Amino acid sequence: MRWLTKKVPDRASYATRNNINHVEAMSMTSDEFVSEGINNAELAQAMDLGQAQLLLERSIWCFEQTDVFELAAKARIHYSSILFRQELQPPSDEKSANDRAVIEMRAAQLIESLTKEGLFFEALNICSSVAPFLSEYAKEELDKRFIRKIRLVVRED
């Protein structure tokens, strides 16, 4: 078994390990879990917020089954963004200046994380979701300094 799962410098491994104590996880290989997680994450981009949340939860679970922490972290950031956008959904009562500042700060942090992970489409979704809570000056600066550049990157992909 060791020679099947152990990576040798000039040869790839041939099998993946499964936790035999976790029956649900044994139904799929590590590669299948990663593939399923990626499929769910991609589908989440095209769904409404409620369905996207469920798909991303499933995606995170799949990535955690294989210890692919980089993809799990990416899915968690996307999931946080979906939750934030759900909080901003109507009906939204009139926000105070302090509430608007908190929304702007949270949005900036999420946009930074999303951009670092290459989730540009979701970063643009955050921008359009927070736009009603921003001042005209902030909207113009966000558009000029960030949104236009991200749209160029997205078009190139």
Side-chain angles (χ1 to χ4, degrees):
M1 176 69 168
R2 181 177 291 161
W3 65 272
L4 286 173
T5 59
K6 186 176 180 183
K7 287 188 178 181
V8 178
D10 57 336
R11 180 188 74 186
S13 62
Y14 297 107
T16 56
R17 293 182 184 266
N18 280 321
N19 182 352
I20 61 171
N21 295 322
H22 194 200
V23 177
E24 186 177 344
M26 284 182 52
S27 62
M28 293 168 42
T29 67
S30 294
D31 292 339
E32 289 170 327
F33 273 116
V34 170
S35 176
E36 184 68 20
I38 290 170
N39 288 339
N40 285 320
E42 286 180 346
L43 280 173
Q45 292 181 344
M47 298 293 175
D48 66 51
L49 296 177
Q51 290 176 323
Q53 180 182 353
L54 296 173
L55 287 167
L56 287 168
E57 286 172 355
R58 174 78 175 158
S59 181
I60 292 166
W61 182 82
C62 287
F63 294 139
E64 288 174 345
Q65 300 310 303
T66 61
D67 297 331
V68 181
F69 299 113
E70 301 84 21
L71 292 176
K74 186 177 241 182
R76 277 190 205 93
I77 290 167
H78 192 177
Y79 181 77
S80 296
S81 175
I82 296 294
L83 292 178
F84 179 65
R85 288 198 297 139
Q86 282 179 325
E87 290 175 22
L88 299 177
Q89 290 293 310
S92 59
D93 51 350
E94 190 62 34
K95 303 285 186 194
S96 69
N98 190 40
D99 291 341
R100 290 175 182 262
V102 170
I103 290 170
E104 188 174 338
M105 180 65 73
R106 285 183 61 201
Q109 291 168 342
L110 275 170
I111 289 169
E112 179 183 16
S113 297
L114 291 165
T115 304
K116 284 180 182 176
E117 292 293 339
L119 297 169
F120 302 122
F121 187 74
E122 186 60 25
L124 290 173
N125 286 337
I126 289 282
C127 290
S128 55
S129 294
V130 299
F133 302 98
L134 300 176
S135 67
E136 287 303 315
Y137 174 77
K139 286 181 203 176
E140 290 171 12
E141 290 298 310
L142 183 63
D143 184 57
K144 181 171 54 174
R145 298 181 187 270
F146 182 75
I147 294 173
R148 289 180 190 169
K149 293 176 185 176
I150 292 298
R151 285 191 177 137
L152 288 173
V153 170
V154 170
R155 283 187 193 133
E156 290 175 1
D157 288 344

